[in-house]
C-alpha cells in the first residue's frame, strides 16, 4: 500500500487497471544511472529510427507494441526513490500504451526533413519521468503512402544498446504474426529479476580486490590524439574508417593462429597507439562489455540493463614484443571478464585517478546492429522492408571507438568536435591501419621500437593461396 501511495500520479481510472506485478532492487549500474539522472548530469537517452518501405497497419502496430511490453517486464518498469531508504524498480501490468502517429505524406520533401529532425529533437528533450513511466515510447511517422519512420525511444536505465536488436526483432515478429492471424507465443520464463538475484550472490569484495590490483600504480591518464580542453556543449561528429578486406583477413588468420580474439588484437593496437601518442608505456582506456552472465538461463533473450564499461590496461616493458603484449592483454581480458559485474563507478574508486581513469571507450561488435536489423528476412512476410536504421545513443564520453568485423573491419569514431581537433581525428585511421599491418608482418618487434606509421605505401604482404577465413575467434 505504501508504494501505491508513492504512485500518486495515477488517476482513479488508471488505479483500477494498472497493477504491481513485481518489486525488486536496482542493479548497481541502475543505481548509478538513477543518481546521475536525478542530479541532472545524464539524460540516459537512446533512440532508434527505422525506415520501412511498405504499408503499416497502425492498429496492429499499437497492438504489437503492447504485446512487446507484455513480453519484457523491464519495459514496464518505473523507479521509485523519493522518501525511500533504497530505490526500487516496480514492474507494472495492465497499462495500455499508445503509439504516437503523425502523417507527413502531404508535406514537401524539405518540410518532411525539417519535421522529422524537429520531432526527434523534441522527443529527446522530452525525457522520461522515472517514477511514472512509461520509459519506452513508440512513434510512427508516415512519410508517404509506402514509407514510414518507426521511432523507438528508451531510457537507458531499463535497457542497454545490446537489447535493441532483441526488442526490434520481437516487435516485427509479433506484428507479422498478428497480420497473418497467427498465435503469438513466447517464453515468459526469463526476467531481469534473475539477473538481480545473480548479482546479489556475487563476491563484491573479491571484485574490488581484483580491480585494485589491476589498476595499482597507474597514475597518469592517457588521452586520444587531438584532445583539447572543452567547456562547450557536446557537438557530435563521426569519422568512419574501413580496414580493407585483405588486411582484415590477415588479422583474422593471425588471431586464430595465436589463439587471440579479434577484439584483443584491436584493443592492443589501440593501446600501442595510445602509448605512442602519450609517450608512456602504460595506458588505460574503457571497454564496453555485454555484462550478460552465461550462468543465467536464457540470458541472451532477457531485456534489461546489463552493459558495463571496464578498464583495459596495456603495459609494455622495454623488452616486450608485440606478440607478447597481445597475449598478455588477452590473458588480462579473460580475467577481467570474471569481475565485469562491478559497476564502473565502483571500479574507478579502486584507482587513485578515480573518475579520471580514462576519458574514452571502445565497443567491439561481431556484427553491426543496424545491419542485423535490416537483415530481418521475416519482415517481407508482413509486406514491408527495412531500408535504413539510425541509432542515437548518449555515452557520456567525448571520444568513442565503435568497431565491427565482417569481410572488412569497420571502425566508427564518434567524438565531440568541441573537445577534439578534427585534423587529428582524421589521421587516426591511417595510423591504426599502418600499425596493424606492422604488427602482422613483424609480431616479434619490440613495442618500444614501434613508431607512428601514417604511410602505407611501403607495406606489402606475402600472399598465400591456402589462407582462408576458417573459424574466427570473437569476444
Amino acid at each position: 500500500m505504501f508504494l501505491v501511495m508513492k504512485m500518486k500520479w495515477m488517476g482513479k481510472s488508471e488505479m483500477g487497471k494498472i497493477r504491481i506485478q513485481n518489486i525488486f532492487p536496482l542493479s548497481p549500474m541502475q543505481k548509478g544511472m538513477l543518481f546521475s539522472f536525478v542530479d541532472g548530469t545524464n539524460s540516459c537517452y537512446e533512440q532508434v529510427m527505422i525506415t520501412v518501405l511498405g504499408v503499416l497497419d497502425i492498429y496492429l502496430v499499437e497492438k504489437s507494441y503492447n504485446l512487446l511490453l507484455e513480453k519484457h517486464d523491464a519495459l514496464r518498469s518505473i523507479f521509485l526513490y523519493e522518501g525511500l531508504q533504497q530505490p526500487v524498480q516496480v514492474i507494472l501490468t495492465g497499462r495500455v500504451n499508445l503509439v504516437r502517429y503523425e502523417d507527413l505524406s502531404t508535406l514537401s520533401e524539405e518540410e518532411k526533413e525539417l519535421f522529422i529532425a524537429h520531432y526527434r529533437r523534441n522527443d529527446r528533450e522530452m525525457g522520461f519521468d522515472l517514477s511514472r513511466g512509461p520509459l519506452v515510447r513508440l512513434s510512427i511517422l508516415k512519410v508517404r503512402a509506402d514509407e514510414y519512420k518507426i521511432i523507438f525511444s528508451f531510457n537507458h536505465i531499463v535497457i542497454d544498446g545490446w537489447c535493441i536488436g532483441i526488442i526490434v526483432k520481437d516487435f516485427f515478429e509479433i506484428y507479422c504474426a498478428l497480420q497473418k492471424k497467427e498465435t503469438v507465443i513466447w517464453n515468459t520464463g526469463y526476467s531481469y529479476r534473475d539477473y538481480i538475484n545473480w548479482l546479489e550472490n556475487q563476491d563484491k569484495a573479491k571484485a574490488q580486490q581484483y580491480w585494485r590490483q589491476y589498476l595499482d600504480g597507474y597514475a597518469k591518464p592517457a588521452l586520444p590524439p587531438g584532445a583539447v580542453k572543452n567547456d562547450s556543449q557536446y557537438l557530435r561528429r563521426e569519422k568512419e574508417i574501413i580496414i580493407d578486406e585483405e588486411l582484415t583477413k590477415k588479422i583474422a588468420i593471425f588471431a586464430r593462429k595465436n589463439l587471440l580474439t579479434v577484439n584483443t588484437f584491436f584493443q592492443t593496437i589501440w593501446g600501442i597507439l595510445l602509448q605512442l601518442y602519450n609517450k608512456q608505456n602504460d595506458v588505460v582506456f574503457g571497454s564496453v562489455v555485454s555484462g550478460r552472465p552465461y550462468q543465467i538461463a536464457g540470458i541472451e533473450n532477457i531485456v534489461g540493463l546489463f552493459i558495463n564499461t571496464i578498464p583495459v590496461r596495456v603495459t609494455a616493458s622495454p623488452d616486450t614484443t608485440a606478440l607478447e603484449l597481445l597475449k598478455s592483454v588477452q590473458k588480462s581480458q579473460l580475467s577481467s571478464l570474471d569481475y565485469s559485474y562491478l559497476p564502473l563507478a565502483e571500479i574507478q574508486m579502486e584507482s587513485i585517478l578515480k573518475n579520471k581513469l580514462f576519458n574514452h571507450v571502445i565497443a567491439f561488435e561481431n556484427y553491426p546492429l543496424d545491419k542485423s536489423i535490416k537483415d530481418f528476412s521475416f519482415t517481407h512476410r508482413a509486406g514491408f522492408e527495412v531500408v535504413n536504421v539510425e541509432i542515437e545513443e548518449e555515452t557520456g564520453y567525448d571520444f568513442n571507438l565503435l568497431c565491427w568485423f565482417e569481410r572488412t573491419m569497420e571502425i566508427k569514431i564518434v567524438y565531440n568536435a568541441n573537445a577534439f581537433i578534427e585534423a587529428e581525428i582524421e589521421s587516426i585511421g591511417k595510423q591504426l591501419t599502418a600499425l596493424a599491418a606492422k604488427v602482422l608482418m613483424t609480431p616479434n618487434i619490440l613495442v618500444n621500437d614501434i613508431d607512428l606509421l601514417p604511410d602505407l605505401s611501403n607495406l606489402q604482404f606475402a600472399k598465400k593461396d591456402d589462407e582462408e577465413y576458417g573459424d574466427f575467434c570473437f569476444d
Side-chain angles (χ1 to χ4, degrees), residues 29 33 46 156 159-163 192 195 288-292 304-309 340 343 363 393:
M29 184 66 68
M33 285 196 172
E46 293 200 29
H156 202 359
I159 71 161
D160 55 41
W162 295 65
C163 297
Y192 188 65
Y195 173 65
V288 178
V289 294
S290 71
R292 292 174 177 260
L305 178 63
F306 300 94
I307 205 169
N308 194 14
T309 300
S340 61
E393 181 179 8

Side-chain angles (χ1 to χ4, degrees), residues 185-226:
I185 302 174
W186 61 71
N187 188 336
T188 57
Y190 306 129
S191 167
Y192 188 65
R193 177 63 192 261
D194 299 335
Y195 173 65
I196 299 294
N197 292 340
W198 180 87
L199 276 177
E200 290 175 343
N201 290 319
Q202 301 313 299
D203 191 336
K204 181 178 177 179
K206 190 175 180 181
Q208 289 172 323
Q209 181 183 20
Y210 171 82
W211 290 113
R212 190 180 311 122
Q213 292 175 345
Y214 184 78
L215 298 170
D216 183 48
Y218 185 73
K220 185 180 179 182
L223 303 177

Side-chain angles (χ1 to χ4, degrees), residues 67-230:
L67 287 172
L68 175 73
L69 269 59
E70 184 180 330
K71 177 178 181 179
H72 298 294
D73 56 6
L75 302 181
R76 292 180 276 113
S77 299
I78 61 171
F79 294 80
L80 302 182
Y81 52 91
E82 292 182 346
L84 299 178
Q85 199 166 23
Q86 288 292 334
V88 294
Q89 50 190 314
V90 180
I91 310 300
L92 302 178
T93 186
R95 169 186 264 169
V96 176
N97 294 274
L98 303 178
V99 172
R100 297 190 293 169
Y101 174 75
E102 298 284 350
D103 188 346
L104 320 182
S105 58
T106 60
L107 302 180
S108 69
E109 292 304 310
E110 182 179 356
E111 288 172 330
K112 289 174 184 176
E113 289 184 14
L114 289 173
F115 185 98
I116 293 170
H118 183 72
Y119 190 92
R120 295 183 70 182
R121 183 172 62 253
N122 282 352
D123 182 73
R124 182 168 57 250
E125 293 173 353
M126 185 186 306
F128 296 92
D129 185 338
L130 295 186
S131 60
R132 177 170 183 155
L135 303 183
V136 54
R137 289 192 292 266
L138 177 61
S139 302
I140 304 294
L141 307 183
K142 183 179 179 180
V143 181
R144 50 184 57 88
D146 61 349
E147 180 181 342
Y148 294 80
K149 304 285 186 183
I150 302 173
I151 301 176
F152 278 102
S153 303
F154 308 92
N155 189 289
H156 202 359
I157 200 170
V158 293
I159 71 161
D160 55 41
W162 295 65
C163 297
I164 292 174
I166 300 172
I167 291 169
V168 174
K169 182 174 183 291
D170 284 350
F171 172 76
F172 284 150
E173 284 184 337
I174 293 169
Y175 181 89
C176 289
L178 292 177
Q179 191 186 57
K180 300 296 181 183
K181 295 182 170 52
E182 298 170 352
T183 303
V184 178
I185 302 174
W186 61 71
N187 188 336
T188 57
Y190 306 129
S191 167
Y192 188 65
R193 177 63 192 261
D194 299 335
Y195 173 65
I196 299 294
N197 292 340
W198 180 87
L199 276 177
E200 290 175 343
N201 290 319
Q202 301 313 299
D203 191 336
K204 181 178 177 179
K206 190 175 180 181
Q208 289 172 323
Q209 181 183 20
Y210 171 82
W211 290 113
R212 190 180 311 122
Q213 292 175 345
Y214 184 78
L215 298 170
D216 183 48
Y218 185 73
K220 185 180 179 182
L223 303 177
V228 293
K229 186 177 181 181
N230 172 52

Side-chain angles (χ1 to χ4, degrees), residues 242 244 247 429-438 441 453-460:
I242 306 294
D244 65 42
L247 183 54
K430 288 183 179 180
Q431 292 163 352
L432 269 175
T433 306
L435 181 54
K438 183 71 173 178
M441 289 191 300
L453 300 169
D455 185 8
L456 300 181
S457 59
N458 62 338
L459 299 176
Q460 299 293 328

